[in-house]
Each structure stands twice: as structure tokens, then as C-alpha cells.
Amino acid sequence: MITVCPTSSLPPGEAIRVPAEEPIAVFNVDGEFFAIDDTCTHQDASLADGWLEGCTIECPLHASCFDLRTGKPSGPPAKVAVRTHQVVVADGMIHVQVSAAAEGAA
Amino acid sequence: MTGTIAVVGASLAGLSAARALRERGHAGRIVVIGDEVHAPYDRPPLSKEFLAGTATIDDLALVSPDDEALDLEWRLGSRAVGLERQSRSVRLADGGEVRADGVVLATGARARRLPGSDGLPGVHVLRTLDDAVALRADLAVSGRLVVIGAGFIGAEVASTARQLGLDVTVVETQPVPLAGPLGGELGAVCAELHADHGTRLLTGTGVAGLVGTDRVEAVELTDGTRLPAEVVVVGIGALPNTEWLAGSGVALGNGVLTDEGCATNVPGVVAVGDCAAAWSVPAGRNVRVEHWTHALEQPATAAATLLGGAPPVRCPVPYFWSDQYGARIQFAGSRREGDVPRLVEGDFADRSFLVVYERDGAPVAVLGMNQPRLFTRWRRQLRSAVPAA
Ligand SMILES: Cc1cc2nc3c(=O)[nH]c(=O)nc-3n(C[C@H](O)[C@H](O)[C@H](O)COP(=O)(O)OP(=O)(O)OC[C@H]3O[C@@H](n4cnc5c(N)ncnc54)[C@H](O)[C@@H]3O)c2cc1C
Ligand code: FES
């Protein structure tokens, strides 16, 4: 479990990049938190820098859109889903339970 | 349309057209004709990760498993040599013919070559996968590279070659690189990346010729200077692949001329991507765009034109990116001479900044270096500010 930040530091519509071996992006969608792998599955871009609209994040480099709930891309150029991770909020802190390496990417 | 549609050119624009045709319900045959033997692949990494050796050929593939469902008939390694206007049939170099009810022209562009440089070993252009494989092999055994042209591709090749440890000199005819797309001030700022990373940049200098008989040995400049070189990359722009259409009746200029909806003057024939010069209302002329995002998105409009139906709502804000020396450069919007750049974030010296170009006080374009998050917000803002043309 990775501790990310207090919920108050991540207001609705915002994203934060959590540095790790595989960096993770955490999003606040109208009070609900989602976590996915931060690096786009297409090329090298940080999804936390992308454009959040509803439950979709648009990659800042080539605009593939990923569903934060499933990690699936909606269209090209990305072909592979990003991993999704479970978010746990406890005592006002956001924590992420990192999924197993290959899982969730399918 | 239930008949056959021929897509000529099997790259980003051609594949995107095939996808868009299926998305719009075309149930007939789609025949994709491409002169390269390779299945569609992505070109931007050819000067970046693929040249550096950090991306493989498999990483470049554009076709995904989902595309199986498109049920496309591929004619790869097959060059179109003519288009018969009445019957809309595409003639192939091997003598074959594809008769079609609709034709999508997506033959892209090719690298412009330096006159007299053809066939001299050590001299390269970079447009295709085969070009990149050959250049990569040459860079691996060479110490000294001269790049002719400091445009985006020239700058990216220089950057990758430095990363590989070569001694690199870039020669540019213009006094300031990238002044066309970025304007003089920002072109100069971006060009400073070369010096930051130990690449020599010579500007305002023409190339008189190449020296060497069995292999290139040097580049001779118009001022008489000889730059020793084991490898030379010529990065002086691209020309649209339209010669094969001569005599077909399709109107040609700097590319295949089309209206805003990608329609050529010949009914049932549309053109997309780097080979096409579509009418631009804001510019008041035909404009040939040579950017990846354009080749990805524009075919949806062409598919609507060909099949009938409402055209898609398109983002009227052009966009491109470039990666050089670890810096990510992103540009969106339409800049004209006279637009005033204003620094809104960061610092040129830190190689992390965002500049907004203003015309009559209103933002018309945005340039970011290593500012992806802020850039994305500005790009969005431009999209909502610019009325759909
Ligand atoms: C090295 C490099 C780096 C780039 N980097 C960037 C970047 O960082 N950012 C960016 O925005 N853009 C970049 N681009 C530009 C981008 O790749 C192009 O805009 C895009 O490839 C255009 O797609 P297209 O399908 O229109 O044309 P092309 O990709 O040129 O494809 C046309 C295809 O048609 C084939 N063809 C031509 N004539 C015939 C014929 N007669 N019969 C059959 N087939 C034919 C060609 O061989 C080719 O396979 C880069 C380009 C290159 C070469
Ligand atoms: S890097 Fe994300 S879509 Fe290309």
C-alpha cells in the first residue's frame, strides 16, 4: 500500500503523479478517487498531465483516452489498457493498493 | 456506398481512413494498397526511440488486434502508378488493377534529397523504416555526423546521435532554425538545445556539395569550409507523393488539392494526410499539413465525404510535438508572422516554459517546452476559443 496524500490536497478535477518504479497517477473525479499506471501504454507520456473529463483521461501527447475505471483505451494510438489500482481512503489520507504487474493490463 | 473502396497509401492516414470508413458503416470491400512491404508503422519514433535503439519494429506497429475486424484486403509491396478517372480504377506497378467505387489518396510524402547526393554511401534521408534501419546501422559504426537542415527531423536525428555518442554538426541555411513554424525568437530558443548538448549548429550557411567518391568524407559549405563526416543526414523537408496522379485529372498543386471536406475535383476521390492540401478557411488557401495528429484525425472527414452523412466535429487547432535532447516540445494553434509571443510560465534558460502567441491581444497558438500539463490546458482553451471552421 502506497500513501499518496491527504484528500484535501487532491481537489476534484485534479491529478497527482506518485513516483514509484512504475509511477502511478491518482485522479479525483467529483470526489471519487481513481488510480492507474501513470505512463501511457502508447509511448512516453505522463497521464497525470493529461486532460480529465468525466471518468476519462486524455493522454497529453497523442490524445488516446483511457477509462479510469477499466484502464481501457477508447481508440488509437494506444492499443493496450493501463493497469488500474485500488484506492483506499482512510483518516483523510489517500492510499493506493498497487495491482500485480501483468494483471489488469489485459 | 456498398462497393469497393481503394485506399492508396498504407500508413497512418490510409489506415485511419479504413477505420473511419468501417466506423461509418461501409460494408463493401476495402483494398489498401501500399508500396512499402511493411504493414503500417509509426514514423515519429524513427528519428527518436527507434533510431536510439530503445524501441523495436514491433513497437512501431500501427495495426492493433482490434483492426482484424476491419476485414481489409492488403496489397503491400504494390505501387500505384496511375488512376483512371472514369472507372476509378487504380493501376499497379505489377500490371494489376483495382477497380473501385471510391478512392482515398493517402500516399504521404517523401524526404527531399540533396541534388547529386543519390547513391553515395554514408548519405541518408529519414522517412521510412528502411531508411531508419540503414541510418541506425551507419551511426553504430561512425564517429562523426553532419546533419543538413535544422528542422524538426534534423534536430531529432542530431539529438539521438549525440545520445549515441557521436560528434554532431548541424548545418542550416536559414539564419534561425524553425523560424517558420515557431517564429524567430522561439526558433532561436529551441535551437539552443543543440549547444546545451554539445552539438555544433552552423546557421546562415548553405551546402555547396558533398565530398567523397566511394563514401562520403565531408560536407562542403558555400563559404568553402569542409566539415569532415562519416555519416550525413539530409533533413531538408518532404515532397508530396503525387507524381503517379499526373494525367489522372485529379487537380494537383503542392499536394492533392481538396476542399475542406477532403474531396478532390474528381467525384468519388478524396485525399488525406501528408499528400493532401485541403482548403483552409482561416488561411484562405490550400494548406498541406505534415503532422501526425492531422493524418490520424482528418480521414474521418474524408470518410464522411465519401460515404455521405454528417462530417465529424473536428478540432480546428493543429497540433504537433517534437522530442529533442530529452526536452518535449509541443505546439498547438495557427501562428502567423506578426503574432506576438508572450512567456506565461517558466523560463527559457531552464528549458521549461510555456509561450502563448497573441494576435490583437487574443491567444492563437501555444508552445510548450517540458510543460505538458499546462500545455494541455492551453491547447484545450484554444480549441474552445477557436470557432469550428
Ligand atoms: C522521422 C519522422 C519523424 C516524425 N516525427 C513527427 C513528430 O514528432 N510529430 C509529428 O506531429 N509528426 C511527425 N512526423 C510526421 C508524421 O509521421 C506524418 O505526418 C505522417 O506519417 C503522415 O502520414 P501519411 O499516412 O499521410 O503519410 P506517410 O506516413 O508518408 O505514408 C504514405 C504511405 O504511402 C506510400 N506510398 C507513396 N506513394 C505510393 C504509391 N504510388 N502507391 C502505393 N503506396 C504509396 C508510402 O510509401 C507510405 O507508406 C514525423 C515524420 C518522420 C518521417
Ligand atoms: S503517448 Fe499516450 S497516446 Fe501516445
Side-chain angles (χ1 to χ4, degrees):
Chain A
M1 197 91 106
I2 302 178
T3 302
V4 180
C5 64
T7 50
S8 56
S9 309
L10 191 61
E14 291 296 319
I16 187 170
R17 181 173 189 269
V18 186
E21 203 178 323
E22 296 275 348
I24 288 167
V26 185
F27 301 85
N28 181 337
V29 180
D30 299 327
E32 202 179 339
F33 297 99
F34 294 93
I36 59 172
D37 274 350
D38 182 54
T39 307
C40 185
T41 57
H42 176 232
Q43 281 162 18
D44 191 16
S46 160
L47 293 173
D49 289 335
W51 182 259
L52 184 61
E53 200 151 317
C55 261
T56 306
I57 184 75
E58 181 186 287
C59 175
L61 192 52
H62 309 125
S64 265
C65 292
F66 295 89
D67 188 318
L68 296 180
R69 295 160 298 193
T70 61
K72 290 211 170 80
S74 66
K79 293 178 262 186
V80 177
V82 285
R83 285 189 307 167
T84 56
H85 307 286
Q86 198 192 338
V87 180
V88 178
V89 177
D91 296 331
M93 292 297 284
I94 303 171
H95 309 270
V96 170
Q97 179 70 56
V98 180
S99 308
E103 258 177 29
Chain B
M1 190 179 289
T2 52
T4 299
I5 295 180
V7 177
V8 190
S11 181
L12 182 60
L15 176 63
S16 302
R19 286 173 177 156
L21 289 166
R22 286 292 185 232
E23 203 163 298
R24 289 210 161 235
H26 175 67
R29 290 170 71 207
I30 299 181
V31 184
V32 186
I33 301 159
D35 62 356
E36 294 186 76
V37 294
H38 310 289
Y41 58 88
D42 208 17
R43 289 177 208 279
L46 297 181
S47 49
K48 310 176 182 78
E49 299 89 343
F50 183 77
L51 193 62
T54 55
T56 65
I57 289 187
D58 288 346
D59 293 330
L60 303 184
L62 287 177
V63 178
S64 75
D66 288 351
D67 290 323
E68 280 290 315
L70 298 176
D71 193 19
L72 307 177
E73 285 179 40
W74 296 97
R75 298 279 177 90
L76 298 177
S78 185
R79 194 158 56 86
V81 292
L83 176 70
E84 177 54 50
R85 179 189 173 129
Q86 295 308 333
S87 62
R88 278 192 224 94
S89 50
V90 179
R91 266 185 293 119
L92 305 179
D94 62 11
E97 190 183 57
V98 177
R99 282 176 176 275
D101 303 282
V103 179
V104 180
L105 306 174
T107 46
R110 63 180 179 280
R112 190 195 292 268
R113 287 165 192 270
L114 200 63
S117 69
D118 274 358
L120 183 61
V123 181
H124 298 259
V125 292
L126 183 53
R127 180 79 200 179
T128 66
L129 178 55
D130 296 348
D131 291 342
V133 168
L135 176 59
R136 195 159 84 167
D138 242 5
L139 291 179
V141 294
S142 305
R144 230 184 260 262
L145 166 71
V146 173
V147 178
I148 300 174
F152 288 113
I153 290 181
E156 290 183 353
V157 169
S159 149
T160 303
R162 280 299 295 154
Q163 190 187 331
L164 295 171
L166 279 85
D167 174 282
V168 182
T169 304
V170 179
V171 185
E172 168 62 50
T173 328
Q174 299 295 317
V176 178
L178 302 175
L182 305 183
E185 189 187 337
L186 275 304
V189 169
C190 290
E192 285 173 10
L193 289 172
H194 291 298
D196 288 355
H197 295 86
T199 296
R200 267 181 307 280
L201 172 66
L202 308 176
T203 55
T205 324
V207 169
L210 301 176
V211 184
T213 41
D214 298 334
R215 186 179 173 86
V216 70
E217 288 162 15
V219 174
E220 189 167 285
L221 304 181
T222 42
D223 66 6
T225 312
R226 274 191 179 199
L227 302 171
E230 287 154 60
V231 191
V232 171
V233 173
V234 180
I236 54 174
L239 301 168
N241 291 320
T242 53
E243 289 77 2
W244 69 283
L245 292 165
S248 67
V250 172
L252 304 174
N254 173 29
V256 180
L257 301 180
T258 75
D259 66 9
E260 264 189 292
C262 307
T264 69
N265 61 317
V266 175
V269 180
V270 296
V272 289
D274 279 20
C275 75
W279 179 257
S280 158
V281 173
R285 61 188 169 89
N286 287 75
V287 177
R288 193 168 69 81
V289 179
E290 293 183 288
H291 300 315
W292 187 93
T293 301
H294 178 77
L296 180 80
E297 293 177 351
Q298 190 200 26
T301 301
T305 297
L306 209 50
L307 301 178
V313 181
R314 273 186 61 217
C315 157
V317 179
Y319 163 72
F320 64 84
W321 79 97
S322 175
D323 292 331
Q324 301 170 23
Y325 304 102
R328 173 151 294 158
I329 298 168
Q330 293 176 288
F331 183 95
S334 306
R335 195 199 66 89
R336 266 194 234 146
E337 223 32 64
D339 293 345
V340 182
R342 183 168 63 87
L343 181 71
V344 298
E345 180 73 32
D347 201 321
F348 294 152
D350 294 343
R351 310 300 181 226
S352 172
F353 61 82
L354 192 98
V355 162
V356 172
Y357 296 84
E358 293 174 334
R359 190 179 308 156
D360 306 322
V364 289
V366 54
L367 168 70
M369 183 184 284
N370 290 327
Q371 284 284 352
R373 185 179 289 217
L374 197 56
F375 176 86
T376 299
R377 272 140 195 77
W378 273 94
R379 182 181 171 194
R380 279 281 167 165
Q381 193 164 322
L382 283 178
R383 280 195 212 175
S384 43
V386 179

